Amino acid sequence: MWGFMGGGRGALPDKFEEQYHCYSAAMADKTHLEQGDKILLPPSAFDILARLQVDYPMLFQLQSPDKGTLTHCGVLEFTAEEGSCVVPFWMMQNLLIEEGAVLTVSNVSLPKANF
């Protein structure tokens, strides 16, 4: 009965937070990613993000639930296989994770730096 106007099932989340199996750019044959700080997410992530009020450029927090490590990055494309994300190997090393590890990916808004 109350399933409309955000009052029930089907209401949009106010934040993007998903878990993906993480693979290095080299494993995914995307070695061009190694030179930057951007990742690949699956098309379903874009579908969710397109419905949310997110800030641009899109920024994400990557967190390893097993290691407790985190970092921030941008997204280059939404072309990763469903259920996975592709991350530069240097970023995986900083997160202390290996191929196939689970990462929690959340959209964030970071404040602009002041100099």
Side-chain angles (χ1 to χ4, degrees):
M1 178 173 160
W2 301 103
F4 62 95
M5 300 292 283
R9 290 186 315 157
L12 292 176
D14 58 354
K15 181 176 174 131
F16 175 83
E17 185 172 296
E18 296 288 329
Q19 289 195 324
Y20 299 108
H21 290 278
C22 178
Y23 297 98
S24 69
M27 277 292 267
D29 199 25
K30 303 281 187 181
T31 54
H32 65 281
L33 289 178
E34 291 300 332
Q35 306 306 315
D37 61 352
K38 299 209 177 354
I39 64 171
L40 303 182
L41 291 172
S44 60
F46 179 76
D47 292 340
I48 296 167
L49 288 159
R51 293 181 180 102
L52 299 176
Q53 296 287 329
V54 296
D55 292 334
Y56 288 86
M58 289 186 199
L59 298 174
F60 298 90
Q61 175 180 287
L62 306 182
Q63 184 170 15
S64 168
D66 293 337
K67 303 288 183 176
T69 53
L70 65 88
T71 191
H72 295 89
C73 65
V75 63
L76 182 64
E77 299 173 346
F78 294 93
T79 57
E81 293 290 323
E82 289 298 332
S84 67
C85 63
V86 179
V87 176
F89 185 69
W90 65 263
M91 203 177 285
M92 290 178 65
Q93 288 179 313
N94 287 350
L95 290 166
L96 308 173
I97 60 172
E98 297 180 5
E99 301 287 343
V102 173
L103 278 182
T104 301
V105 180
S106 309
N107 74 303
V108 294
S109 296
L110 298 176
K112 300 252 188 244
N114 293 319
F115 297 95

